[in-house]
């Protein structure tokens, strides 16, 4: 499809390493839009498919423009919006026309819905065999839980994360971000990129699948390996690392400090920097396994020393000694941090309604594609409908008829 997006000078295409690809985004809520955001930020043309206003089944889920404007802008920047009712034959016909020209179609319906609508992977890849069809579900495309609705907190619980998060004895704890959603989105994006690379050799697309449950379990990493390999069930350890001590959050004279003294060498450096060298060979502290068994004793001794100076003083002193450490920031302090400012993590954006704001940039850099263009604000619902349909050959009168019938 021709790309109608413009740069800040009003002419030409928005460039990026993925600008040759067109993505059709039929996903909702967070996991799917997170996957698609990567492509949009990297220059791909992303067309967000939304239920037309007034049509049954409108989208009122989390992430809607009126629900949380900051979230919506951050999640849907750099995209176009086409309203399309895919529950109608006319809507499916338009979708087929788009699919014939697209590279990727992504959805996160319940597994049976896409097949019922006639927009499953077999149906769409029959139109365009090069299409990469991507699906994100809660629990997989088949199996005993395939029909369950998938939400982040449920996946965090069923995927084991909540059992190892929080302090011992205080019950399961959800982490403060939608980790299962976000990771499912990132894994889906990696799957799509892999399929696009494979297509260069085979000439064919394929169906890429992931789920919140699988993504969450994959993120357990070493905690899962403790069970799979050693048959050890990991427990909650709060802010502390389950396998190395002292590693965690410690109080100082004016706040808190994160310390990661992993291994015997770091333990010796830490004790010397804290001016408690006698702890190095203290009974019950002389090795990693001993410190893990006596973590309360070790942590109490370390914190007693740390309470004598401020967080800033200890940070400077420990880093000079080669001990990994750092302060614990609130979100406002994160973006005020000089290193964060240097990295340009906050991506400045000019918005007609919100003014000068910033979004969270992608944590990747490319030497030949500097991030020199500001992000484009998230589109209003259906903002690009007329232009996209005109590209497909529809007249203004035909678009008016489709809109009157709640098809677009």
């Amino acid at each position: 499809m021709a790309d109608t997006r413009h740069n800040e000078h009003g002419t030409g295409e928005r460039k990026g390493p993925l600008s040759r690809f067109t993505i059709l985004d039929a996903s909702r809520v967070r996991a799917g839009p997170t996957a698609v955001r990567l492509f949009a930020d990297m220059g791909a043309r992303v067309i967000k498919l939304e239920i037309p206003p007034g049509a049954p089944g409108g989208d009122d889920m989390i992430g809607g423009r009126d629900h949380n404007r900051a979230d919506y802008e951050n999640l849907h920047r750099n995209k176009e919006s086409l309203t399309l009712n895919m529950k109608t034959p006319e809507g499916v016909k338009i979708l087929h026309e788009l699919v014939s020209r697209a590279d990727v179609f992504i959805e996160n319906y319940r597994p049976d819905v896409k097949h019922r609508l006639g927009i499953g992977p077999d149906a769409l890849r029959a139109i365009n065999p090069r299409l990469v069809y991507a699906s994100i579900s809660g629990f997989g495309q088949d199996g005993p839980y395939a029909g369950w609705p998938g939400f982040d907190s449920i996946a965090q619980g069923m995927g084991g994360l909540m059992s190892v998060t929080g302090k011992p004895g205080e019950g399961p704890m959800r982490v403060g971000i939608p980790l299962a959603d976000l990771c499912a989105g990132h894994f889906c994006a990696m799957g799509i990129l892999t399929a696009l690379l494979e297509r260069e050799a085979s000439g064919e697309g394929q169906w890429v699948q992931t789920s919140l449950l699988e993504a969450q379990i994959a993120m357990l990493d070493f905690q899962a390996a403790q069970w799979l390999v050693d048959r050890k069930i990991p427990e909650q350890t709060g802010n502390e690392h389950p396998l190395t001590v002292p590693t965690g959050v410690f109080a100082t004279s004016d706040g808190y400090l994160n310390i990661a003294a992993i291994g015997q060498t770091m333990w010796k450096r830490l004790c010397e920097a804290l001016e408690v060298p006698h702890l190095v060979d203290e009974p019950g502290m002389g090795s990693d396994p001993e410190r893990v068994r006596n973590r309360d004793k070790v942590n109490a001794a370390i914190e007693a020393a740390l309470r004598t100076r401020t967080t800033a003083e200890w940070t400077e002193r420990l880093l000079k000694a080669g001990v990994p450490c750092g302060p614990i920031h609130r979100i406002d302090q994160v973006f005020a941090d000089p290193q964060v400012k240097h990295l340009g993590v906050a991506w400045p954006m000019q918005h007609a309604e919100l003014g000068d704001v910033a979004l969270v940039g992608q944590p990747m850099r490319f030497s030949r594609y500097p991030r020199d263009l500001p992000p484009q604000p998230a589109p209003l619902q259906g903002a690009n409908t007329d232009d996209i349909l005109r590209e497909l050959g529809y007249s203004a009168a035909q678009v008016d008829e489709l809109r009157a019938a709640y098809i677009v």
Side-chain angles (χ1 to χ4, degrees), residues 4 13 27 31 54 71 79 156 174 181 190 216 253 258 266 279 323 357-358 362 393:
T4 59
E13 297 179 5
S27 67
D71 186 23
K79 302 177 185 178
Q156 285 194 32
R174 182 182 67 85
D181 274 341
M190 285 191 284
Q216 181 58 81
S253 66
N258 249 324
M266 290 294 177
L279 294 181
V323 178
V357 295
Q362 292 286 351

Side-chain angles (χ1 to χ4, degrees), residues 140-162:
Q141 295 297 312
D142 45 38
Y145 304 158
W148 286 21
F151 286 90
D152 174 84
S153 58
I154 297 171
Q156 285 194 32
M158 294 182 67
L161 179 62
M162 292 173 66

Side-chain angles (χ1 to χ4, degrees), residues 141-206:
Q141 295 297 312
D142 45 38
Y145 304 158
W148 286 21
F151 286 90
D152 174 84
S153 58
I154 297 171
Q156 285 194 32
M158 294 182 67
L161 179 62
M162 292 173 66
S163 75
V164 296
T165 303
K167 294 182 179 180
E170 293 189 0
M173 177 68 67
R174 182 182 67 85
V175 301
I177 59 172
L179 191 64
D181 274 341
L182 296 173
C183 290
H186 292 311
F187 283 130
C188 182
M190 285 191 284
I192 292 170
L193 288 168
T194 301
L196 289 172
L197 283 171
E198 192 278 338
R199 189 180 72 173
E200 294 180 0
S202 68
E204 295 186 17
Q206 57 185 299

Side-chain angles (χ1 to χ4, degrees), residues 142-291:
D142 45 38
Y145 304 158
W148 286 21
F151 286 90
D152 174 84
S153 58
I154 297 171
Q156 285 194 32
M158 294 182 67
L161 179 62
M162 292 173 66
S163 75
V164 296
T165 303
K167 294 182 179 180
E170 293 189 0
M173 177 68 67
R174 182 182 67 85
V175 301
I177 59 172
L179 191 64
D181 274 341
L182 296 173
C183 290
H186 292 311
F187 283 130
C188 182
M190 285 191 284
I192 292 170
L193 288 168
T194 301
L196 289 172
L197 283 171
E198 192 278 338
R199 189 180 72 173
E200 294 180 0
S202 68
E204 295 186 17
Q206 57 185 299
W207 188 11
V208 174
Q209 305 171 32
T210 191
S211 68
L212 272 61
L213 181 62
E214 291 169 281
Q216 181 58 81
I217 294 171
M219 292 303 294
L220 290 178
D221 198 63
F222 75 91
Q223 296 281 45
Q226 287 194 79
W227 166 250
L228 293 173
V229 177
D230 297 330
R231 283 298 187 259
K232 177 183 176 182
I233 300 176
E235 303 289 342
Q236 292 169 302
T237 56
N239 288 320
E240 300 175 41
H241 194 285
L243 303 179
T244 62
V245 177
T247 298
V249 178
F250 297 87
T252 65
S253 66
D254 68 342
Y256 295 92
L257 182 68
N258 249 324
I259 295 177
I262 299 173
Q264 199 65 9
T265 298
M266 290 294 177
W267 168 242
K268 291 179 180 178
R269 291 178 184 174
L270 175 65
C271 291
E272 291 170 2
L274 296 180
E275 299 178 345
V276 286
H278 63 279
L279 294 181
V280 172
D281 297 316
E282 183 88 6
M285 301 186 190
S287 68
D288 279 328
E290 286 181 289
R291 289 193 294 277

Side-chain angles (χ1 to χ4, degrees), residues 28-43:
R28 296 291 185 271
V29 194
R30 187 168 309 279
T34 295
V36 171
R37 178 173 57 189
L38 170 69
F39 291 89
D41 288 353
M42 296 300 160

Side-chain angles (χ1 to χ4, degrees), residues 46-182:
V46 172
I47 299 175
K48 185 174 184 284
L49 306 177
E50 303 188 74
I51 299 295
D59 183 12
D60 61 354
M61 300 295 285
I62 294 173
R65 184 173 184 269
D66 297 326
H67 179 86
N68 186 329
R69 186 62 179 275
D71 186 23
Y72 186 85
E73 292 291 340
N74 195 57
L75 194 57
H76 296 294
R77 75 261 187 131
N78 294 326
K79 302 177 185 178
E80 299 173 50
S81 173
L82 167 70
T83 49
L84 185 65
N85 188 349
M86 291 181 284
K87 295 181 180 180
T88 65
E90 297 90 344
V92 172
K93 176 178 178 294
I94 293 172
L95 176 65
H96 287 178
E97 295 177 59
L98 291 167
V99 164
S100 69
R101 309 176 184 207
D103 297 285
V104 177
F105 178 89
I106 180 171
E107 57 83 24
N108 58 353
Y109 300 118
R110 291 195 197 183
D112 63 317
V113 171
K114 55 183 164 289
H115 302 292
R116 191 167 67 244
L117 294 177
I119 58 172
D122 292 340
L124 297 192
R125 292 193 60 251
I127 297 166
N128 179 1
R130 289 177 56 81
L131 183 74
V132 172
Y133 191 110
S135 297
I136 302 177
S137 61
F139 302 93
Q141 295 297 312
D142 45 38
Y145 304 158
W148 286 21
F151 286 90
D152 174 84
S153 58
I154 297 171
Q156 285 194 32
M158 294 182 67
L161 179 62
M162 292 173 66
S163 75
V164 296
T165 303
K167 294 182 179 180
E170 293 189 0
M173 177 68 67
R174 182 182 67 85
V175 301
I177 59 172
L179 191 64
D181 274 341
L182 296 173

